[in-house]
Coordinates of all heavy atoms in Angstrom, one line a residue:
M1 N 68.6 101.4 85.5 CA 69.1 102.7 84.9 C 68.0 103.3 84.0 O 67.3 102.6 83.4 CB 70.4 102.5 84.1 CG 71.5 101.9 84.9 SD 72.0 102.8 86.4 CE 72.4 104.4 85.7
A2 N 68.1 104.6 84.0 CA 67.1 105.3 83.1 C 67.5 105.2 81.7 O 68.7 105.1 81.4 CB 67.1 106.8 83.5
L3 N 66.6 105.2 80.8 CA 66.9 105.1 79.4 C 67.0 106.6 79.0 O 66.3 107.5 79.5 CB 65.7 104.5 78.7 CG 65.4 103.1 79.0 CD1 64.1 102.6 78.4 CD2 66.6 102.2 78.6
S4 N 67.9 106.8 78.0 CA 68.1 108.2 77.6 C 67.0 108.4 76.5 O 66.3 107.5 76.0 CB 69.5 108.4 77.0 OG 69.7 107.4 76.0
G5 N 66.9 109.7 76.1 CA 66.0 110.0 75.1 C 64.8 110.7 75.6 O 64.8 111.2 76.8
C6 N 63.8 110.8 74.8 CA 62.6 111.6 75.2 C 61.9 110.9 76.3 O 61.6 109.7 76.3 CB 61.7 111.6 74.0 SG 60.2 112.5 74.3
N7 N 61.6 111.5 77.4 CA 61.0 110.8 78.5 C 59.6 111.3 79.0 O 59.1 110.9 80.0 CB 61.9 110.5 79.7 CG 62.5 111.7 80.3 OD1 62.0 112.8 80.1 ND2 63.6 111.5 81.0
G8 N 59.1 112.3 78.3 CA 57.7 112.7 78.5 C 57.1 112.4 79.9 O 57.7 112.9 80.9
D9 N 56.1 111.7 80.0 CA 55.4 111.5 81.2 C 55.5 110.0 81.7 O 54.6 109.5 82.3 CB 53.9 111.9 81.2 CG 53.7 113.3 81.5 OD1 54.3 113.8 82.6 OD2 53.1 114.0 80.8
K10 N 56.6 109.4 81.3 CA 56.8 108.0 81.7 C 56.8 107.9 83.2 O 57.0 108.9 84.0 CB 58.1 107.5 81.1 CG 57.8 106.8 79.8 CD 59.1 106.0 79.4 CE 60.2 107.0 79.2 NZ 61.4 106.3 78.5
G11 N 56.8 106.7 83.7 CA 56.8 106.4 85.1 C 57.9 107.1 85.8 O 59.0 107.2 85.3
K12 N 57.6 107.6 87.0 CA 58.6 108.4 87.7 C 59.7 107.4 88.3 O 59.4 106.4 88.9 CB 57.9 109.0 88.9 CG 58.0 110.5 88.9 CD 57.2 111.1 90.0 CE 57.9 112.1 90.9 NZ 58.3 113.3 90.3
Q13 N 60.9 107.8 88.2 CA 62.0 107.1 88.8 C 62.3 107.8 90.1 O 62.0 109.0 90.2 CB 63.2 107.0 88.0 CG 63.8 108.3 87.7 CD 64.6 108.4 86.4 OE1 64.4 107.5 85.6 NE2 65.3 109.5 86.2
A14 N 62.7 107.1 91.1 CA 63.0 107.7 92.4 C 64.2 108.7 92.2 O 65.2 108.4 91.6 CB 63.4 106.6 93.4
N15 N 64.0 109.8 92.8 CA 65.1 110.8 92.7 C 66.2 110.5 93.7 O 65.9 110.0 94.8 CB 64.6 112.2 93.0 CG 63.6 112.7 91.8 OD1 62.6 113.2 92.1 ND2 64.0 112.4 90.6
K16 N 67.4 110.8 93.4 CA 68.5 110.5 94.2 C 69.1 111.8 94.7 O 68.9 112.9 94.2 CB 69.6 109.7 93.5 CG 69.2 108.3 93.2 CD 70.3 107.6 92.6 CE 69.9 106.2 92.0 NZ 70.9 105.7 91.1
T17 N 69.9 111.6 95.7 CA 70.7 112.8 96.3 C 72.2 112.5 96.2 O 72.6 111.4 96.5 CB 70.3 113.0 97.7 OG1 68.9 113.3 97.8 CG2 71.1 114.2 98.3
Y18 N 72.9 113.4 95.6 CA 74.3 113.3 95.5 C 75.0 114.4 96.3 O 74.5 115.5 96.5 CB 74.7 113.5 94.0 CG 74.2 112.4 93.1 CD1 72.9 112.5 92.6 CD2 75.0 111.3 92.8 CE1 72.5 111.5 91.7 CE2 74.5 110.3 92.0 CZ 73.2 110.4 91.5 OH 72.8 109.4 90.6
T19 N 76.2 114.0 96.8 CA 76.9 115.0 97.6 C 78.2 115.4 96.9 O 79.0 114.5 96.4 CB 77.3 114.4 99.0 OG1 76.0 114.0 99.6 CG2 78.0 115.4 99.8
V20 N 78.5 116.7 96.8 CA 79.8 117.2 96.4 C 80.5 117.8 97.6 O 79.9 118.7 98.2 CB 79.7 118.2 95.2 CG1 81.0 118.8 94.8 CG2 79.0 117.5 94.0
V21 N 81.7 117.3 97.9 CA 82.4 117.9 99.0 C 83.3 119.0 98.5 O 84.0 118.8 97.5 CB 83.2 116.8 99.8 CG1 84.1 117.3 100.8 CG2 82.2 115.8 100.4
I22 N 83.3 120.1 99.2 CA 84.3 121.1 98.9 C 85.4 121.1 99.9 O 85.1 121.3 101.1 CB 83.6 122.5 98.9 CG1 82.3 122.5 98.1 CG2 84.6 123.6 98.5 CD1 81.5 123.8 98.2
Q23 N 86.6 120.8 99.5 CA 87.7 120.6 100.4 C 89.0 120.9 99.7 O 89.1 120.5 98.5 CB 87.7 119.2 101.0 CG 88.4 119.0 102.3 CD 88.1 117.7 103.0 OE1 87.7 116.7 102.3 NE2 88.2 117.7 104.3
Q24 N 89.9 121.5 100.4 CA 91.2 121.8 99.8 C 91.1 122.5 98.4 O 91.8 122.1 97.5 CB 92.1 120.6 99.7 CG 92.3 120.0 101.1 CD 93.2 118.8 101.1 OE1 93.1 118.0 100.2 NE2 94.1 118.7 102.1
M25 N 90.2 123.5 98.4 CA 90.0 124.3 97.2 C 89.5 123.5 96.0 O 89.9 123.8 94.8 CB 91.3 125.1 96.8 CG 91.8 125.9 98.0 SD 90.8 127.4 98.2 CE 91.4 128.4 96.8
K26 N 88.8 122.4 96.2 CA 88.3 121.6 95.1 C 86.9 121.1 95.4 O 86.5 120.9 96.5 CB 89.2 120.3 95.0 CG 90.5 120.5 94.3 CD 91.2 119.2 94.2 CE 92.7 119.4 93.8 NZ 93.5 118.3 94.2
F27 N 86.2 120.9 94.3 CA 84.9 120.2 94.4 C 85.2 118.7 94.1 O 85.8 118.4 93.1 CB 84.0 120.7 93.3 CG 83.6 122.2 93.4 CD1 84.2 123.1 92.6 CD2 82.7 122.6 94.4 CE1 83.8 124.5 92.7 CE2 82.3 123.9 94.5 CZ 82.9 124.8 93.7
T28 N 84.7 117.9 95.0 CA 84.9 116.4 94.8 C 83.6 115.7 94.9 O 83.0 115.7 96.0 CB 85.9 115.9 95.9 OG1 87.1 116.6 95.8 CG2 86.2 114.4 95.6
P29 N 83.1 115.0 93.9 CA 83.7 114.9 92.6 C 83.5 116.1 91.8 O 82.5 116.8 91.9 CB 83.0 113.7 91.9 CG 81.6 113.8 92.6 CD 81.8 114.2 94.0
A30 N 84.5 116.5 90.9 CA 84.4 117.7 90.2 C 83.4 117.5 89.0 O 82.7 118.5 88.6 CB 85.8 118.1 89.6
D31 N 83.3 116.3 88.5 CA 82.3 116.0 87.5 C 81.3 115.0 87.9 O 81.7 114.0 88.4 CB 83.0 115.5 86.2 CG 84.1 116.5 85.7 OD1 83.7 117.7 85.4 OD2 85.2 116.2 85.6
L32 N 80.1 115.3 87.8 CA 79.0 114.4 88.3 C 77.9 114.3 87.3 O 77.5 115.4 86.7 CB 78.5 115.1 89.6 CG 77.5 114.3 90.4 CD1 78.0 113.0 90.9 CD2 77.1 115.1 91.6
T33 N 77.4 113.2 87.1 CA 76.3 113.0 86.2 C 75.1 112.5 87.0 O 75.2 111.6 87.8 CB 76.6 111.9 85.1 OG1 77.7 112.3 84.4 CG2 75.4 111.7 84.2
V34 N 74.0 113.2 86.8 CA 72.8 112.9 87.6 C 71.6 112.8 86.6 O 71.7 113.2 85.5 CB 72.5 114.0 88.7 CG1 73.7 114.2 89.6 CG2 72.1 115.3 88.0
N35 N 70.5 112.4 87.2 CA 69.2 112.4 86.4 C 68.5 113.7 86.7 O 68.6 114.2 87.8 CB 68.4 111.2 86.7 CG 68.9 109.9 86.1 OD1 69.2 109.8 84.9 ND2 69.2 108.9 87.0
E36 N 67.7 114.1 85.8 CA 66.8 115.3 86.0 C 66.0 115.1 87.3 O 65.4 114.0 87.4 CB 65.9 115.5 84.8 CG 65.2 116.8 84.9 CD 64.3 117.1 83.7 OE1 64.5 116.4 82.6 OE2 63.5 118.0 83.7
G37 N 66.0 116.0 88.1 CA 65.2 115.9 89.4 C 66.0 115.5 90.6 O 65.5 115.5 91.7
D38 N 67.2 115.0 90.3 CA 68.0 114.6 91.4 C 68.5 115.8 92.2 O 68.7 116.9 91.6 CB 69.3 113.8 91.0 CG 68.9 112.4 90.5 OD1 67.8 111.9 90.8 OD2 69.7 111.7 89.9
T39 N 68.8 115.6 93.4 CA 69.3 116.7 94.3 C 70.8 116.6 94.5 O 71.3 115.5 94.7 CB 68.6 116.7 95.6 OG1 67.2 116.9 95.4 CG2 69.2 117.8 96.6
V40 N 71.5 117.7 94.4 CA 72.9 117.7 94.7 C 73.2 118.6 95.9 O 72.6 119.7 95.9 CB 73.8 118.3 93.5 CG1 75.2 118.3 93.8 CG2 73.5 117.4 92.2
I41 N 73.9 118.1 96.8 CA 74.2 118.8 98.0 C 75.7 119.1 98.0 O 76.5 118.2 97.8 CB 73.9 118.0 99.3 CG1 72.5 117.6 99.4 CG2 74.3 118.8 100.6 CD1 72.2 116.7 100.5
W42 N 76.0 120.4 98.2 CA 77.5 120.8 98.3 C 77.7 121.0 99.8 O 77.0 121.8 100.4 CB 77.7 122.1 97.5 CG 77.8 121.9 96.0 CD1 79.0 121.7 95.3 CD2 76.8 121.9 95.1 NE1 78.7 121.6 94.0 CE2 77.3 121.7 93.8 CE3 75.4 122.1 95.2 CZ2 76.6 121.6 92.6 CZ3 74.6 122.0 94.0 CH2 75.2 121.8 92.8
I43 N 78.8 120.4 100.3 CA 79.1 120.6 101.7 C 80.5 121.2 101.7 O 81.5 120.7 101.1 CB 79.2 119.2 102.4 CG1 77.8 118.6 102.4 CG2 79.6 119.4 103.9 CD1 77.7 117.2 103.0
N44 N 80.6 122.3 102.4 CA 81.9 123.0 102.6 C 82.7 122.4 103.8 O 82.4 122.7 104.9 CB 81.7 124.5 102.7 CG 83.1 125.2 102.7 OD1 84.1 124.5 102.6 ND2 83.1 126.5 102.9
K45 N 83.6 121.6 103.5 CA 84.5 121.0 104.5 C 85.8 121.7 104.5 O 86.8 121.1 105.1 CB 84.6 119.5 104.3 CG 83.3 118.7 104.5 CD 83.6 117.2 104.6 CE 82.3 116.5 104.9 NZ 82.4 115.1 104.9
D46 N 85.9 122.8 103.9 CA 87.2 123.5 103.8 C 87.2 124.5 105.0 O 86.3 124.6 105.8 CB 87.3 124.3 102.5 CG 88.7 124.2 101.9 OD1 89.6 124.0 102.7 OD2 88.8 124.4 100.7
I47 N 88.3 125.3 105.0 CA 88.5 126.2 106.2 C 88.2 127.6 105.8 O 88.4 128.5 106.6 CB 89.9 126.1 106.8 CG1 91.0 126.3 105.7 CG2 90.1 124.7 107.5 CD1 92.4 126.4 106.3
V48 N 87.8 127.8 104.5 CA 87.4 129.2 104.0 C 86.0 129.1 103.3 O 85.6 128.0 103.0 CB 88.5 129.7 103.1 CG1 89.8 130.0 103.8 CG2 88.6 128.9 101.9
E49 N 85.4 130.2 103.1 CA 84.1 130.3 102.4 C 84.3 129.9 100.9 O 85.3 130.3 100.3 CB 83.6 131.7 102.4 CG 83.0 132.1 103.7 CD 82.2 133.4 103.6 OE1 82.4 134.2 102.6 OE2 81.3 133.7 104.4
H50 N 83.3 129.3 100.4 CA 83.2 129.0 99.0 C 81.7 129.2 98.5 O 80.8 129.2 99.4 CB 83.6 127.6 98.7 CG 85.0 127.3 99.0 ND1 86.1 127.8 98.3 CD2 85.6 126.5 100.0 CE1 87.2 127.4 98.8 NE2 86.9 126.6 99.8
N51 N 81.6 129.2 97.2 CA 80.2 129.2 96.7 C 80.2 128.4 95.4 O 81.2 127.9 94.9 CB 79.7 130.7 96.4 CG 80.4 131.4 95.4 OD1 80.7 130.9 94.3 ND2 80.8 132.6 95.7
V52 N 79.0 128.2 94.9 CA 78.8 127.4 93.7 C 78.0 128.3 92.8 O 76.9 128.6 93.0 CB 78.0 126.1 94.0 CG1 77.8 125.3 92.8 CG2 78.6 125.3 95.2
T53 N 78.6 128.7 91.7 CA 78.0 129.6 90.7 C 78.2 129.1 89.3 O 79.3 128.8 88.9 CB 78.6 131.0 90.8 OG1 78.5 131.5 92.2 CG2 78.0 132.0 89.9
T54 N 77.1 129.0 88.6 CA 77.3 128.5 87.2 C 77.9 129.5 86.3 O 77.8 130.7 86.5 CB 75.9 128.1 86.6 OG1 75.1 129.3 86.4 CG2 75.2 127.1 87.4
E55 N 78.6 129.0 85.3 CA 79.3 129.9 84.4 C 78.3 130.8 83.7 O 78.7 131.9 83.3 CB 80.2 129.1 83.4 CG 81.4 128.7 84.2 CD 82.3 127.8 83.4 OE1 82.1 127.5 82.2 OE2 83.3 127.3 84.0
T56 N 77.1 130.3 83.5 CA 76.1 131.1 82.8 C 75.3 132.0 83.8 O 74.5 132.8 83.4 CB 75.1 130.2 82.1 OG1 74.6 129.3 83.1 CG2 75.7 129.5 80.9
K57 N 75.7 131.9 85.1 CA 75.0 132.7 86.1 C 73.5 132.3 86.3 O 72.7 133.1 86.7 CB 75.2 134.2 86.0 CG 76.6 134.6 85.8 CD 77.4 134.6 87.2 CE 78.7 135.3 87.1 NZ 79.8 134.5 86.7
D58 N 73.1 131.1 85.8 CA 71.7 130.7 85.9 C 71.3 130.6 87.4 O 70.2 130.9 87.8 CB 71.6 129.3 85.4 CG 71.4 129.3 83.9 OD1 71.5 130.4 83.3 OD2 71.2 128.2 83.3
W59 N 72.3 130.2 88.2 CA 72.0 130.0 89.6 C 73.3 130.1 90.4 O 74.4 129.8 89.8 CB 71.2 128.8 90.0 CG 71.7 127.5 89.4 CD1 71.2 126.9 88.2 CD2 72.7 126.6 89.9 NE1 71.9 125.7 88.0 CE2 72.8 125.5 89.0 CE3 73.6 126.7 91.0 CZ2 73.8 124.5 89.2 CZ3 74.5 125.7 91.2 CH2 74.6 124.6 90.3
S60 N 73.2 130.4 91.6 CA 74.4 130.3 92.5 C 74.0 130.1 93.9 O 72.8 130.4 94.3 CB 75.2 131.6 92.4 OG 74.5 132.7 92.9
S61 N 74.9 129.6 94.7 CA 74.6 129.4 96.1 C 75.1 130.7 96.8 O 75.8 131.5 96.2 CB 75.5 128.2 96.6 OG 76.8 128.6 96.7
P62 N 74.6 130.9 98.0 CA 75.3 131.9 98.8 C 76.7 131.5 99.1 O 77.1 130.4 98.9 CB 74.4 132.0 100.1 CG 73.7 130.7 100.1 CD 73.6 130.2 98.7
N63 N 77.5 132.4 99.7 CA 78.8 132.0 100.2 C 78.6 131.1 101.4 O 77.8 131.4 102.3 CB 79.6 133.2 100.6 CG 80.1 134.0 99.4 OD1 80.1 133.5 98.3 ND2 80.4 135.3 99.7
L64 N 79.2 129.9 101.3 CA 79.1 128.9 102.3 C 80.2 128.9 103.2 O 81.4 128.7 102.8 CB 79.0 127.5 101.6 CG 77.9 127.3 100.6 CD1 78.1 126.0 99.9 CD2 76.5 127.4 101.2
S65 N 79.9 129.2 104.5 CA 81.0 129.2 105.5 C 81.4 127.7 105.7 O 80.7 126.8 105.4 CB 80.5 129.8 106.8 OG 80.1 131.1 106.6
P66 N 82.6 127.6 106.3 CA 83.0 126.2 106.6 C 81.9 125.5 107.4 O 81.4 126.1 108.4 CB 84.3 126.4 107.5 CG 84.8 127.7 106.9 CD 83.6 128.6 106.6
G67 N 81.6 124.3 107.0 CA 80.6 123.5 107.7 C 79.2 123.6 107.2 O 78.3 122.8 107.5
M68 N 79.0 124.6 106.3 CA 77.7 124.8 105.7 C 77.5 123.9 104.5 O 78.4 123.6 103.8 CB 77.5 126.3 105.4 CG 77.2 127.2 106.5 SD 76.8 128.9 106.0 CE 75.3 128.7 105.0
S69 N 76.2 123.7 104.2 CA 75.9 123.0 103.0 C 74.8 123.7 102.3 O 74.1 124.5 102.9 CB 75.5 121.5 103.3 OG 74.4 121.4 104.1
W70 N 74.6 123.3 101.0 CA 73.5 124.0 100.2 C 73.1 122.9 99.2 O 73.9 122.1 98.7 CB 74.1 125.2 99.5 CG 73.2 126.0 98.7 CD1 72.2 126.8 99.1 CD2 73.1 126.0 97.2 NE1 71.6 127.4 98.0 CE2 72.1 126.8 96.9 CE3 73.8 125.3 96.2 CZ2 71.7 127.1 95.5 CZ3 73.5 125.5 94.9 CH2 72.4 126.4 94.6
N71 N 71.8 122.9 98.8 CA 71.4 121.9 97.9 C 70.5 122.5 96.8 O 69.9 123.5 97.0 CB 70.8 120.7 98.6 CG 69.5 121.1 99.2 OD1 68.5 121.3 98.5 ND2 69.5 121.3 100.5
K72 N 70.5 121.8 95.7 CA 69.7 122.2 94.6 C 69.2 121.0 93.8 O 69.9 120.1 93.6 CB 70.5 123.1 93.7 CG 69.8 123.6 92.4 CD 70.5 124.8 91.8 CE 69.7 125.1 90.5 NZ 68.3 125.5 90.7
V73 N 68.0 121.1 93.3 CA 67.4 120.1 92.4 C 67.9 120.4 91.0 O 67.7 121.5 90.6 CB 65.9 120.0 92.5 CG1 65.3 119.0 91.5 CG2 65.4 119.7 93.9
M74 N 68.5 119.4 90.4 CA 69.1 119.7 89.1 C 68.1 119.4 88.0 O 67.5 118.4 87.9 CB 70.4 118.8 88.9 CG 71.4 119.0 89.9 SD 71.9 120.8 90.2 CE 72.4 121.2 88.5
V75 N 68.0 120.4 87.1 CA 67.2 120.2 85.9 C 67.9 120.3 84.6 O 67.4 119.9 83.6 CB 66.0 121.2 85.9 CG1 65.0 120.8 87.0 CG2 66.4 122.6 86.0
K76 N 69.1 120.9 84.7 CA 69.9 120.9 83.4 C 71.4 121.0 83.7 O 71.8 121.4 84.8 CB 69.4 122.1 82.5 CG 69.7 123.4 83.0 CD 69.2 124.4 81.9 CE 70.2 125.5 81.7 NZ 69.7 126.6 80.9
S77 N 72.1 120.6 82.7 CA 73.6 120.5 82.9 C 74.1 121.9 83.1 O 73.6 122.9 82.6 CB 74.2 119.9 81.6 OG 73.7 118.6 81.4
A78 N 75.2 121.9 83.9 CA 75.8 123.2 84.1 C 77.3 123.0 84.5 O 77.7 122.0 85.1 CB 75.1 123.9 85.3
A79 N 78.1 124.0 84.0 CA 79.5 124.1 84.5 C 79.5 125.2 85.5 O 78.8 126.2 85.4 CB 80.4 124.5 83.3
Y80 N 80.2 124.9 86.6 CA 80.2 125.9 87.7 C 81.6 126.1 88.3 O 82.5 125.4 88.0 CB 79.2 125.4 88.8 CG 79.5 124.2 89.5 CD1 80.4 124.2 90.6 CD2 79.0 122.9 89.1 CE1 80.7 123.0 91.3 CE2 79.3 121.8 89.7 CZ 80.2 121.8 90.8 OH 80.5 120.6 91.5
S81 N 81.7 127.2 89.0 CA 82.9 127.4 89.7 C 82.6 128.2 91.0 O 81.4 128.4 91.3 CB 83.8 128.3 88.8 OG 83.2 129.5 88.5
C82 N 83.6 128.5 91.7 CA 83.5 129.3 92.9 C 84.0 130.7 92.6 O 85.1 130.9 92.1 CB 84.4 128.7 94.0 SG 84.5 129.8 95.5
T83 N 83.1 131.7 92.7 CA 83.5 133.0 92.2 C 84.6 133.6 93.1 O 85.3 134.5 92.7 CB 82.3 134.0 92.2 OG1 81.7 134.1 93.5 CG2 81.2 133.5 91.2
L84 N 84.7 133.1 94.3 CA 85.8 133.6 95.2 C 87.1 133.0 94.8 O 88.2 133.6 95.1 CB 85.5 133.2 96.7 CG 84.1 133.6 97.2 CD1 83.9 133.0 98.6 CD2 84.0 135.1 97.3
H85 N 87.1 131.9 94.2 CA 88.3 131.2 93.8 C 88.1 130.6 92.4 O 87.7 129.4 92.3 CB 88.7 130.0 94.8 CG 88.6 130.4 96.2 ND1 87.6 130.1 97.0 CD2 89.5 131.1 96.9 CE1 87.8 130.7 98.3 NE2 89.0 131.3 98.2
P86 N 88.2 131.4 91.4 CA 87.8 130.9 90.0 C 88.6 129.7 89.5 O 88.1 129.1 88.5 CB 88.1 132.1 89.1 CG 88.1 133.3 90.1 CD 88.6 132.8 91.4
V87 N 89.6 129.3 90.2 CA 90.3 128.1 89.8 C 89.5 126.8 90.1 O 89.8 125.8 89.6 CB 91.7 127.9 90.3 CG1 92.6 129.1 89.8 CG2 91.7 127.9 91.9
M88 N 88.6 127.0 91.0 CA 87.8 125.9 91.5 C 86.6 125.7 90.5 O 85.8 126.5 90.3 CB 87.1 126.1 92.9 CG 88.2 126.2 94.0 SD 87.4 126.8 95.5 CE 86.3 125.4 95.8
K89 N 86.6 124.5 89.8 CA 85.6 124.3 88.8 C 85.0 122.9 89.0 O 85.6 122.0 89.4 CB 86.3 124.4 87.4 CG 86.7 125.8 87.0 CD 87.2 125.8 85.6 CE 87.7 127.2 85.2 NZ 86.7 128.2 85.3
G90 N 83.8 122.8 88.5 CA 83.1 121.6 88.6 C 82.0 121.5 87.5 O 81.7 122.6 86.9
S91 N 81.5 120.4 87.2 CA 80.4 120.3 86.2 C 79.4 119.3 86.6 O 79.7 118.3 87.2 CB 81.0 120.0 84.8 OG 81.3 118.7 84.7
L92 N 78.2 119.6 86.2 CA 77.1 118.7 86.4 C 76.5 118.3 85.1 O 76.2 119.2 84.3 CB 76.0 119.4 87.2 CG 76.3 119.4 88.7 CD1 75.5 120.5 89.3 CD2 76.1 118.1 89.3
K93 N 76.3 117.1 84.8 CA 75.7 116.7 83.6 C 74.3 116.1 84.0 O 74.3 115.1 84.8 CB 76.5 115.6 82.9 CG 76.0 115.3 81.5 CD 77.0 114.5 80.7 CE 76.4 114.2 79.4 NZ 77.3 113.3 78.6
V94 N 73.3 116.6 83.4 CA 72.0 116.1 83.7 C 71.5 115.2 82.5 O 71.5 115.7 81.4 CB 70.9 117.2 84.0 CG1 69.5 116.6 84.1 CG2 71.3 118.0 85.2
K95 N 71.3 114.0 82.8 CA 70.9 113.1 81.7 C 69.5 113.3 81.2 O 68.6 113.7 82.0 CB 71.0 111.6 82.2 CG 72.4 111.1 82.3 CD 72.4 109.6 82.6 CE 72.3 109.3 84.0 NZ 72.6 107.9 84.4
Ligands
LIG101 CU1 86.0 129.0 96.8

């Protein structure tokens, strides 16, 4: 496991990829903790379009049709939602 704290130019740890499934108007898992540089893939397995947009609007995905996926390398923590369905919320914590 990575040590927390200042990590400057220490040895590189292998980056991982995490998947968040969008289904039944929910992000699963809704809360995810990753390391900086890890990739998160959102897959829309629902029957309607969804997107992933941070509350601060730092970044957002395009609208994802059913069956589409989108990925992003995470560099900082973010709370996000789907602007089409604001009740859908998730959060990413970057260690
Ligand atoms: Cu949605």
